Every structure is written in structure tokens, then in C-alpha cells.
Amino acid sequence: MGGHSRGEVASRMAIIVSFHLLFDTPDWVLRVDDQSARKILDRAATRYRSLDSLLAERSSADPNLRGMGTTMTVAYSLGYDLFLSHAGDSRAYLCREGSLRQLTRDHTKVQELVDAGMMTREEAATHRMRNV
């Protein structure tokens, strides 16, 4: 996370741990239906919670890592279906026929204000706290 303590350590840990979690519980799905899609999304949420717990544990155990954090956006496809997992304000976009469409919503306080109608998207884009 930009400017945060030891973000590079958190990012590296997030990638390594995510790979281990993925390989420990692979999604062996050949065809996606509503039931298997729900299972895939639930498993992704569980992986993110595990990752968050491990990062928090490591951060509290080592004073040099206090306050570390990372954002993460993961995309993977199964056949014609695309799955996104997302935490923070690193966005995923779809590029099609020369135009971009934002697929994820930022997990920030400023985005909460936009969602509540207390701030416009234009104001949010330049707000000094947009990454909090």
C-alpha cells in the first residue's frame, strides 16, 4: 500500500501465501453452474480471510512490520467464466473494443462516502484520503 510501512513485505507474503492456499485447496471445476460458482467465491473469501489473519499475525509479532498491509486483485478463468477476488483499491478493469470498464469497487472510506451520496466520483478522484 502506497507509503505504508513494509508494504513490499506484505505484498510478497500475500502472493506466496495465496499460491500455497490455492494449491492446498484447488478449484477442480470443469463446468461452472450456480452451485459451483458459489463454492468458488466462498473459497476465495476464505482464502482472503486466512491471508488477512496471517498478515496481521506476522505484523503484530514483528515490530519492524507493524502497520504493513497490501491490496490484492486476482482474476482467473474457468472456461468462459471469469472470477475476480479483490481487496483494497487496486482495481480490475475490462478492456474491450478500445474502452475500459471498471469491474471492482474500491474498499476505501472515500468510496463509502461516494456510495452514501455524500461525495461525487469526481471529488473522490482527487480527495487526499482516497486511498484510506
Side-chain angles (χ1 to χ4, degrees):
M1 296 183 313
H4 275 268
S5 168
R6 308 305 286 173
E8 74 284 1
V9 174
S11 295
R12 186 173 38 254
M13 282 180 60
I15 292 168
I16 291 168
V17 170
S18 292
F19 277 120
H20 286 285
L21 290 171
L22 178 64
F23 290 127
D24 286 345
T25 55
D27 291 319
W28 296 112
V29 177
L30 300 177
R31 192 171 1 150
V32 178
D33 58 19
D34 289 343
Q35 183 179 2
S36 61
R38 173 57 28 211
K39 183 177 179 182
I40 292 166
L41 294 173
D42 289 345
R43 191 173 287 164
T46 299
R47 289 176 182 144
Y48 268 70
R49 283 191 294 276
S50 296
L51 178 58
D52 185 53
S53 295
L54 289 168
L55 289 173
E57 183 181 306
R58 179 84 186 271
S59 178
S60 64
D62 185 342
N64 294 320
L65 301 178
R66 196 129 318 172
M68 75 172 179
T70 187
T71 63
M72 182 174 250
T73 302
V74 176
Y76 57 98
S77 64
L78 294 170
Y80 293 111
D81 297 293
L82 178 71
F83 290 85
L84 293 173
S85 298
H86 164 70
D89 61 354
S90 294
R91 298 174 180 166
Y93 290 87
L94 174 64
C95 179
R96 183 174 283 159
E97 298 177 0
S99 66
L100 289 176
R101 185 173 63 132
Q102 185 176 335
L103 298 177
T104 57
R105 242 179 99 259
D106 291 356
H107 299 126
T108 62
K109 292 296 180 187
V110 169
Q111 182 63 52
E112 288 178 13
L113 294 173
V114 171
D115 293 345
M118 300 173 70
M119 181 181 291
T120 66
R121 289 179 64 94
E122 292 75 23
E123 292 170 326
T126 59
H127 195 279
R128 66 181 178 83
M129 302 285 284
R130 68 186 172 274
N131 296 348
V132 174

CSV table of all heavy atoms in Angstrom, one decimal, residues 70-97:
chain,number,residue,atom,x,y,z
A,70,THR,N,-1.4,-4.7,2.3
A,70,THR,CA,-1.3,-4.8,0.9
A,70,THR,C,-2.7,-4.8,0.3
A,70,THR,O,-3.7,-5.1,1.0
A,70,THR,CB,-0.5,-6.0,0.4
A,70,THR,OG1,-0.3,-6.0,-1.0
A,70,THR,CG2,-1.2,-7.3,0.8
A,71,THR,N,-2.8,-4.4,-0.9
A,71,THR,CA,-4.0,-4.6,-1.7
A,71,THR,C,-3.8,-5.8,-2.6
A,71,THR,O,-2.7,-6.3,-2.8
A,71,THR,CB,-4.4,-3.4,-2.6
A,71,THR,OG1,-3.3,-3.3,-3.5
A,71,THR,CG2,-4.5,-2.1,-1.7
A,72,MET,N,-4.9,-6.4,-3.1
A,72,MET,CA,-4.8,-7.6,-3.9
A,72,MET,C,-6.0,-7.7,-4.8
A,72,MET,O,-7.1,-7.6,-4.4
A,72,MET,CB,-4.6,-8.8,-3.1
A,72,MET,CG,-4.4,-10.1,-3.9
A,72,MET,SD,-4.0,-11.5,-2.9
A,72,MET,CE,-2.3,-11.7,-3.3
A,73,THR,N,-5.7,-7.9,-6.1
A,73,THR,CA,-6.7,-8.2,-7.1
A,73,THR,C,-6.3,-9.4,-7.9
A,73,THR,O,-5.2,-9.4,-8.4
A,73,THR,CB,-7.0,-7.0,-8.0
A,73,THR,OG1,-7.3,-5.9,-7.2
A,73,THR,CG2,-8.1,-7.3,-9.0
A,74,VAL,N,-7.1,-10.5,-7.9
A,74,VAL,CA,-6.8,-11.7,-8.6
A,74,VAL,C,-7.9,-12.0,-9.5
A,74,VAL,O,-9.1,-11.9,-9.2
A,74,VAL,CB,-6.7,-12.9,-7.6
A,74,VAL,CG1,-6.4,-14.2,-8.3
A,74,VAL,CG2,-5.5,-12.6,-6.5
A,75,ALA,N,-7.5,-12.4,-10.7
A,75,ALA,CA,-8.5,-12.8,-11.7
A,75,ALA,C,-8.1,-14.2,-12.3
A,75,ALA,O,-7.0,-14.5,-12.5
A,75,ALA,CB,-8.6,-11.8,-12.9
A,76,TYR,N,-9.1,-15.1,-12.4
A,76,TYR,CA,-8.9,-16.4,-13.0
A,76,TYR,C,-10.1,-16.8,-13.8
A,76,TYR,O,-11.2,-16.4,-13.4
A,76,TYR,CB,-8.4,-17.4,-12.0
A,76,TYR,CG,-9.3,-17.7,-10.9
A,76,TYR,CD1,-10.2,-18.8,-10.9
A,76,TYR,CD2,-9.3,-16.9,-9.8
A,76,TYR,CE1,-11.0,-19.0,-9.8
A,76,TYR,CE2,-10.1,-17.1,-8.7
A,76,TYR,CZ,-11.0,-18.2,-8.7
A,76,TYR,OH,-11.8,-18.5,-7.7
A,77,SER,N,-9.9,-17.6,-14.8
A,77,SER,CA,-11.0,-18.0,-15.6
A,77,SER,C,-11.1,-19.5,-15.6
A,77,SER,O,-10.2,-20.3,-15.5
A,77,SER,CB,-10.8,-17.6,-17.1
A,77,SER,OG,-9.7,-18.2,-17.7
A,78,LEU,N,-12.4,-20.0,-15.6
A,78,LEU,CA,-12.8,-21.4,-15.8
A,78,LEU,C,-13.7,-21.4,-17.0
A,78,LEU,O,-14.8,-21.0,-16.9
A,78,LEU,CB,-13.5,-21.9,-14.5
A,78,LEU,CG,-12.6,-21.9,-13.2
A,78,LEU,CD1,-13.5,-22.2,-12.0
A,78,LEU,CD2,-11.6,-23.0,-13.4
A,79,GLY,N,-13.2,-21.9,-18.1
A,79,GLY,CA,-13.9,-21.9,-19.3
A,79,GLY,C,-14.3,-20.5,-19.7
A,79,GLY,O,-13.4,-19.6,-19.8
A,80,TYR,N,-15.5,-20.2,-19.9
A,80,TYR,CA,-16.0,-18.8,-20.3
A,80,TYR,C,-16.2,-17.9,-19.1
A,80,TYR,O,-16.5,-16.7,-19.3
A,80,TYR,CB,-17.2,-18.9,-21.1
A,80,TYR,CG,-17.0,-19.6,-22.5
A,80,TYR,CD1,-17.6,-20.8,-22.7
A,80,TYR,CD2,-16.3,-18.9,-23.4
A,80,TYR,CE1,-17.4,-21.4,-24.0
A,80,TYR,CE2,-16.0,-19.5,-24.7
A,80,TYR,CZ,-16.6,-20.8,-24.9
A,80,TYR,OH,-16.4,-21.3,-26.1
A,81,ASP,N,-16.1,-18.4,-17.9
A,81,ASP,CA,-16.4,-17.6,-16.7
A,81,ASP,C,-15.1,-17.0,-16.1
A,81,ASP,O,-14.1,-17.7,-16.0
A,81,ASP,CB,-17.1,-18.5,-15.6
A,81,ASP,CG,-18.4,-19.0,-16.1
A,81,ASP,OD1,-19.3,-18.2,-16.3
A,81,ASP,OD2,-18.5,-20.3,-16.3
A,82,LEU,N,-15.2,-15.8,-15.7
A,82,LEU,CA,-14.1,-15.1,-15.1
A,82,LEU,C,-14.5,-14.8,-13.7
A,82,LEU,O,-15.5,-14.3,-13.4
A,82,LEU,CB,-13.8,-13.7,-15.8
A,82,LEU,CG,-12.7,-12.9,-15.2
A,82,LEU,CD1,-11.3,-13.5,-15.5
A,82,LEU,CD2,-12.7,-11.5,-15.8
A,83,PHE,N,-13.5,-15.1,-12.8
A,83,PHE,CA,-13.7,-14.8,-11.3
A,83,PHE,C,-12.7,-13.8,-10.9
A,83,PHE,O,-11.6,-13.9,-11.3
A,83,PHE,CB,-13.6,-16.1,-10.5
A,83,PHE,CG,-14.7,-17.1,-10.7
A,83,PHE,CD1,-14.6,-18.0,-11.8
A,83,PHE,CD2,-15.8,-17.1,-9.9
A,83,PHE,CE1,-15.6,-18.9,-12.0
A,83,PHE,CE2,-16.8,-18.0,-10.1
A,83,PHE,CZ,-16.7,-18.9,-11.1
A,84,LEU,N,-13.2,-12.8,-10.1
A,84,LEU,CA,-12.3,-11.8,-9.5
A,84,LEU,C,-12.4,-11.9,-8.0
A,84,LEU,O,-13.5,-12.0,-7.4
A,84,LEU,CB,-12.8,-10.4,-9.9
A,84,LEU,CG,-12.7,-10.0,-11.4
A,84,LEU,CD1,-13.4,-8.7,-11.6
A,84,LEU,CD2,-11.2,-10.0,-11.8
A,85,SER,N,-11.2,-11.8,-7.4
A,85,SER,CA,-11.1,-11.7,-5.9
A,85,SER,C,-10.4,-10.3,-5.7
A,85,SER,O,-9.4,-10.0,-6.4
A,85,SER,CB,-10.3,-12.8,-5.3
A,85,SER,OG,-10.9,-14.0,-5.5
A,86,HIS,N,-10.9,-9.6,-4.7
A,86,HIS,CA,-10.4,-8.2,-4.7
A,86,HIS,C,-10.4,-7.7,-3.2
A,86,HIS,O,-11.4,-7.9,-2.5
A,86,HIS,CB,-11.3,-7.4,-5.6
A,86,HIS,CG,-11.2,-5.9,-5.4
A,86,HIS,ND1,-10.1,-5.2,-5.7
A,86,HIS,CD2,-12.1,-5.0,-4.9
A,86,HIS,CE1,-10.3,-3.9,-5.5
A,86,HIS,NE2,-11.5,-3.8,-5.0
A,87,ALA,N,-9.4,-7.0,-2.8
A,87,ALA,CA,-9.3,-6.4,-1.5
A,87,ALA,C,-8.5,-5.1,-1.6
A,87,ALA,O,-7.4,-5.1,-2.2
A,87,ALA,CB,-8.8,-7.3,-0.4
A,88,GLY,N,-9.1,-4.0,-1.2
A,88,GLY,CA,-8.3,-2.7,-1.3
A,88,GLY,C,-8.7,-1.9,-2.4
A,88,GLY,O,-9.9,-1.9,-2.9
A,89,ASP,N,-7.8,-1.1,-2.9
A,89,ASP,CA,-8.1,-0.1,-4.0
A,89,ASP,C,-7.2,-0.4,-5.3
A,89,ASP,O,-7.1,0.5,-6.1
A,89,ASP,CB,-8.0,1.3,-3.5
A,89,ASP,CG,-6.6,1.7,-3.1
A,89,ASP,OD1,-5.7,0.8,-3.0
A,89,ASP,OD2,-6.4,2.8,-2.8
A,90,SER,N,-6.7,-1.6,-5.4
A,90,SER,CA,-6.1,-2.0,-6.7
A,90,SER,C,-7.2,-2.5,-7.6
A,90,SER,O,-7.8,-3.5,-7.3
A,90,SER,CB,-5.0,-3.1,-6.5
A,90,SER,OG,-4.0,-2.5,-5.7
A,91,ARG,N,-7.5,-1.8,-8.6
A,91,ARG,CA,-8.7,-2.1,-9.4
A,91,ARG,C,-8.5,-3.1,-10.5
A,91,ARG,O,-7.4,-3.3,-11.1
A,91,ARG,CB,-9.2,-0.8,-10.0
A,91,ARG,CG,-9.6,0.2,-9.0
A,91,ARG,CD,-10.0,1.5,-9.7
A,91,ARG,NE,-10.4,2.5,-8.7
A,91,ARG,CZ,-10.5,3.7,-9.0
A,91,ARG,NH1,-10.3,4.2,-10.2
A,91,ARG,NH2,-10.9,4.6,-8.1
A,92,ALA,N,-9.6,-3.8,-10.9
A,92,ALA,CA,-9.6,-4.6,-12.1
A,92,ALA,C,-10.5,-3.9,-13.1
A,92,ALA,O,-11.6,-3.4,-12.8
A,92,ALA,CB,-10.1,-6.0,-11.8
A,93,TYR,N,-10.0,-3.9,-14.4
A,93,TYR,CA,-10.8,-3.3,-15.5
A,93,TYR,C,-10.9,-4.3,-16.6
A,93,TYR,O,-10.1,-5.2,-16.8
A,93,TYR,CB,-10.0,-2.1,-16.1
A,93,TYR,CG,-10.0,-0.9,-15.2
A,93,TYR,CD1,-9.0,-0.8,-14.2
A,93,TYR,CD2,-10.9,0.1,-15.3
A,93,TYR,CE1,-8.9,0.3,-13.4
A,93,TYR,CE2,-10.9,1.2,-14.4
A,93,TYR,CZ,-9.9,1.3,-13.5
A,93,TYR,OH,-9.8,2.4,-12.7
A,94,LEU,N,-12.0,-4.2,-17.4
A,94,LEU,CA,-12.2,-5.0,-18.6
A,94,LEU,C,-11.9,-4.0,-19.7
A,94,LEU,O,-12.5,-2.9,-19.8
A,94,LEU,CB,-13.7,-5.5,-18.7
A,94,LEU,CG,-14.0,-6.2,-20.0
A,94,LEU,CD1,-13.3,-7.5,-20.1
A,94,LEU,CD2,-15.5,-6.4,-20.0
A,95,CYS,N,-11.0,-4.5,-20.6
A,95,CYS,CA,-10.7,-3.7,-21.8
A,95,CYS,C,-11.3,-4.5,-23.0
A,95,CYS,O,-10.9,-5.6,-23.3
A,95,CYS,CB,-9.2,-3.6,-22.0
A,95,CYS,SG,-8.7,-2.7,-23.5
A,96,ARG,N,-12.2,-3.8,-23.6
A,96,ARG,CA,-12.9,-4.4,-24.8
A,96,ARG,C,-13.2,-3.4,-25.8
A,96,ARG,O,-13.8,-2.3,-25.5
A,96,ARG,CB,-14.2,-5.1,-24.3
A,96,ARG,CG,-14.9,-5.8,-25.4
A,96,ARG,CD,-16.1,-6.6,-24.9
A,96,ARG,NE,-15.6,-7.8,-24.3
A,96,ARG,CZ,-16.3,-8.5,-23.4
A,96,ARG,NH1,-17.5,-8.2,-23.1
A,96,ARG,NH2,-15.9,-9.6,-22.9
A,97,GLU,N,-12.8,-3.7,-27.0
A,97,GLU,CA,-13.1,-2.8,-28.2
A,97,GLU,C,-12.7,-1.3,-27.9
A,97,GLU,O,-13.4,-0.4,-28.2
A,97,GLU,CB,-14.6,-2.9,-28.6
A,97,GLU,CG,-15.0,-4.2,-29.0
A,97,GLU,CD,-16.5,-4.3,-29.3
A,97,GLU,OE1,-17.2,-3.3,-29.2
A,97,GLU,OE2,-16.9,-5.4,-29.7
